[in-house]
Every structure is written in structure tokens, then in C-alpha cells.
């Protein structure tokens, strides 16, 4: 069988095995939402191989409200992005980070990216998702980065959320708790799949810490993790039922808080490509379709939280 037929048959097999929405999440979340609540679901370009315009067209066609992308550093890339956002009428959230292992250089890179993303006027973002600090920086160094974001957010009026992400300052639940306690202004992008991986569990033994994180969550990355990895191979598969239920139970609490407060909530569907998505050896053929999974997640989120 040649590669083209292999891919075709693999795709058809995946479609045949596709499982419909799990009954546990087929009904909307109970309770009324106050005026002002709005669910805004974003698409990721992570793993998308087309142009910015093609990605935005696909996101709009699939039913997304906006996209989350890294803040582009070149003027050409910025203009391409702004044109696509305008053409396809999409909202945007930007990712920002520092990269250098030297703290001083890292802090300068981080602040410069945040200032650029929050002060451009072509299309202000709904939020900034911050890949904040490093897991090997000191508590004081990482805390200083939080202070930078608090200052920039206050000046710009654009919220900055710090992601619970491996290799970053909030890489583990017990470490994040220290920052939550010390920094009342800290607001989180909840990607709790990372913590499942770090702690090799569904966090049953850290419920108090998880509760504190849920109280600070203002943006969600909707990916399903498990004890041995940050992403299940396909959330529709029945073997991941416990992991899916755990994640939805956490997201339910964040959504309820926003509904009761009458505040909008942004959610990014962020299942990633190979090698985040498990792949077959040698061919590196993904075992599932990343785009289809993310669209499935978007549909589940709309159905449950509409």
C-alpha cells in the first residue's frame, strides 16, 4: 500500500471509529448565566501548515470566535495577521514570553513583547496568554515578572494571564500555589493537563491547591491530559472517560464562576500536533486528526456551556 492510500485508509478508519459526544456532557451545565457572560472559543494555529489567511478562514468556517497566536515580531507578519483577522471577523489573543536562560535578558525580552502586543492599535487582543518565566528561575525572579505583567495590564487595560505550563514558573500545582498566595493580582490561564502530567495523577491528592487555581483562572486551554502525558490520543475514545470527566469538572467550576459574575470567558481548544499527538513509529503518522479533535472539543464546550 503506497503512502497516499495508507493515509486515506487511516483517515477512513479513524472516521469509522469516531465516537459521538459522551452522554455525560451532552446536556448544558445547570444554572442561569447573568447578563454579561459570553463564551468565546478560540482556535490554535499550532500545527496548522497553511497561511495565516487560510488558518483564519478555516477557523471561521469551523465556528470559532477567534484565534490565539504568538505575537508576531516582524511588521510583515503583523500586517498579514491583521488583514486576516479583519477579513474573517475574528477576535485574537496573543501569546508572549521571554526566551533567554539569563534572567536579565529574559525579563527584557518578556517586557518588550508584552508592551508591543498591548500597545499596537490595529486590533487590540482580548487578552495576553503569558508563558511566564522559567521553572529554574528563583521565586523572586519569577515574582518580578508577574509584577511586570500587572503593571502593563493596568496601563493598557488588557488582561494578562499566566499559563500553568511545564518548564514555566507555574509548572507544578504546589509551586503555583506559592505565587497564588503571594500575588493577589495573579490571574491564570488554566492548562491543567500539564499538572496531570507533572504529578502523574488526576490531582486527587491536591484538591485544595487546584481549588485555589480554579478561583484565579480567567482563560482555559481545553486539552485533556492524563497521568503519563499532557494530551490523550483522542478524547472521544472510551478509555479516557475518567480523564475527560476530571477536566470537565474543573472547567465547570471556572465557567460557573464567570456565569455567576456575568463576565465573558475565553477558551482555547489546544490539542496539539505530533509529537504532542501520539504517532505511529517510522511513518510518524498521527493516530488521530488534530483539527477534528479541536473542532469536536469546541462543539462539546458550546453544547455544555451555551
Amino acid at each position: 500500500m503506497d503512502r497516499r492510500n495508507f493515509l486515506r485508509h487511516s483517515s477512513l478508519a479513524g472516521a469509522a471509529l469516531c465516537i459521538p459526544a459522551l452522554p455525560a456532557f451532552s446536556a448544558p451545565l445547570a444554572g442561569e448565566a447573568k447578563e454579561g457572560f459570553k463564551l468565546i472559543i478560540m482556535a490554535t494555529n499550532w500545527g496548522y501548515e497553511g497561511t495565516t489567511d487560510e488558518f483564519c478562514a478555516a477557523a471561521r468556517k469551523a465556528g470559532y470566535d477567534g484565534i490565539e497566536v504568538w505575537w508576531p515580531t516582524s511588521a510583515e507578519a503583523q500586517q498579514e495577521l491583521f488583514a486576516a483577522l479583519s477579513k474573517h471577523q475574528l477576535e485574537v489573543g496573543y501569546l508572549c514570553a521571554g526566551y533567554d536562560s539569563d534572567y536579565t535578558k529574559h525579563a527584557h525580552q518578556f517586557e518588550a513583547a508584552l508592551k508591543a502586543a498591548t500597545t499596537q492599535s490595529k486590533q487590540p487582543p482580548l487578552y495576553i496568554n503569558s508563558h511566564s518565566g522559567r521553572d529554574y528561575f528563583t521565586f523572586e525572579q519569577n515574582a518580578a515578572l508577574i509584577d511586570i505583567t500587572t503593571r502593563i495590564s493596568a496601563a493598557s487595560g488588557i488582561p494578562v494571564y499566566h499559563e500553568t505550563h511545564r518548564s514555566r514558573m507555574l509548572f507544578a500545582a504546589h509551586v503555583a500555589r506559592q505565587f497564588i498566595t503571594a500575588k493577589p493580582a495573579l490571574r491564570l490561564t488554566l492548562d491543567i493537563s500539564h499538572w496531570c502530567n507533572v504529578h502523574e495523577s488526576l490531582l486527587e491528592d491536591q484538591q485544595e491547591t487546584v481549588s485555589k487555581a480554579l478561583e484565579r483562572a480567567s482563560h482555559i486551554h481545553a486539552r485533556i491530559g492524563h497521568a503519563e502525558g499532557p494530551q490523550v490520543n483522542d478524547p472521544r475514545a472510551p478509555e479516557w472517560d475518567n480523564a475527560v470527566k476530571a477536566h470537565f469538572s474543573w472547567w465547570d467550576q471556572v465557567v460557573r464562576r464567570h456565569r455567576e459574575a456575568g463576565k465573558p470567558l475565553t477558551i482555547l481548544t489546544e490539542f496539539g500536533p505530533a509529537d504532542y499527538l501520539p504517532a505511529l513509529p517510522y511513518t510518524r503518522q498521527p493516530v488521530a486528526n488534530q483539527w477534528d479533535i479541536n473542532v469536536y472539543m469546541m462543539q462539546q464546550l458550546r453544547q455544555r456551556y451555551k
Side-chain angles (χ1 to χ4, degrees):
M1 183 182 295
D2 61 28
R3 183 175 185 274
R4 178 176 297 177
N5 285 330
F6 172 78
L7 296 179
R8 178 176 178 272
H9 283 279
S10 296
S11 176
L12 291 175
L17 291 171
C18 180
I19 295 170
L22 294 173
F25 311 118
S26 60
L29 186 68
E32 295 295 322
K34 287 187 178 179
E35 185 178 356
F37 172 77
K38 182 180 181 182
L39 184 66
I40 304 168
I41 306 184
M42 315 292 274
T44 179
N45 68 341
W46 182 24
Y48 193 87
E49 296 182 353
T51 66
T52 300
D53 182 76
E54 290 168 343
F55 166 63
C56 287
R60 170 53 72 190
K61 182 178 180 180
Y64 284 99
D65 302 304
I67 63 172
E68 181 176 302
V69 296
W70 283 95
W71 167 247
T73 56
S74 73
E76 180 180 359
Q78 291 169 18
Q79 291 308 310
E80 180 184 10
L81 174 62
F82 295 145
L85 290 171
S86 176
K87 176 181 177 181
H88 300 288
Q89 295 297 291
L90 291 168
E91 300 284 2
V92 67
Y94 296 127
L95 293 123
C96 289
Y99 300 96
D100 205 279
S101 59
D102 176 83
Y103 174 77
T104 301
K105 293 179 181 178
H106 186 107
H108 286 316
Q109 295 163 350
F110 183 56
E111 185 167 4
L114 285 166
K115 285 183 176 178
T118 56
T119 57
Q120 57 80 26
S121 58
K122 191 69 175 178
Q123 182 164 344
L126 295 178
Y127 59 87
I128 301 293
N129 177 42
S130 173
H131 274 220
S132 309
R134 288 292 191 190
D135 51 7
Y136 52 80
F137 288 165
T138 68
F139 176 87
E140 291 74 20
Q141 288 172 329
N142 280 324
L145 296 177
I146 295 175
D147 292 339
I148 290 173
T149 64
T150 301
R151 170 168 48 82
I152 290 175
S153 181
S156 66
I158 295 170
V160 180
Y161 308 136
H162 300 260
E163 186 173 347
T164 57
H165 199 291
R166 287 171 301 150
S167 86
R168 300 295 181 173
M169 70 167 70
L170 304 177
F171 69 97
H174 65 290
V175 174
R177 182 169 179 166
Q178 298 174 42
F179 292 102
I180 291 171
T181 301
K183 298 293 179 181
L186 176 67
R187 291 298 177 270
L188 303 180
T189 291
L190 184 76
D191 192 339
I192 203 164
S193 66
H194 288 283
W195 287 359
C196 294
N197 188 193
V198 169
H199 297 289
E200 288 195 309
S201 71
L202 292 177
L203 307 171
E204 300 91 343
D205 58 347
Q206 298 200 68
Q207 293 184 34
E208 183 179 350
T209 297
V210 169
S211 293
K212 290 182 181 296
L214 297 178
E215 291 173 1
R216 297 290 187 91
S218 297
H219 177 46
I220 293 171
H221 277 191
R223 185 175 59 248
I224 309 293
H226 59 107
E228 304 304 333
Q231 179 172 303
V232 301
N233 51 27
D234 192 327
R236 298 166 291 193
E239 60 264 34
W240 298 117
D241 186 51
N242 286 340
V244 171
K245 287 179 177 177
H247 284 71
F248 268 92
S249 71
W250 293 320
W251 301 339
D252 284 354
Q253 295 178 62
V254 178
V255 172
R256 282 195 186 96
R257 188 168 289 107
H258 282 73
R259 292 173 83 176
E260 291 169 0
K263 295 172 57 178
L265 176 65
T266 51
I267 302 182
L268 176 74
T269 58
E270 206 203 19
F271 274 75
D275 292 309
Y276 239 75
L277 182 60
L280 298 175
Y282 304 106
T283 65
R284 297 192 69 244
Q285 172 70 15
V287 299
N289 184 294
Q290 178 202 5
W291 183 265
D292 288 351
I293 288 174
N294 278 322
V295 171
Y296 164 83
M297 289 298 297
M298 175 196 64
Q299 293 167 347
Q300 292 296 289
L301 292 164
R302 287 209 190 282
Q303 187 168 318
R304 185 158 180 80
Y305 300 135
K306 60 187 177 183

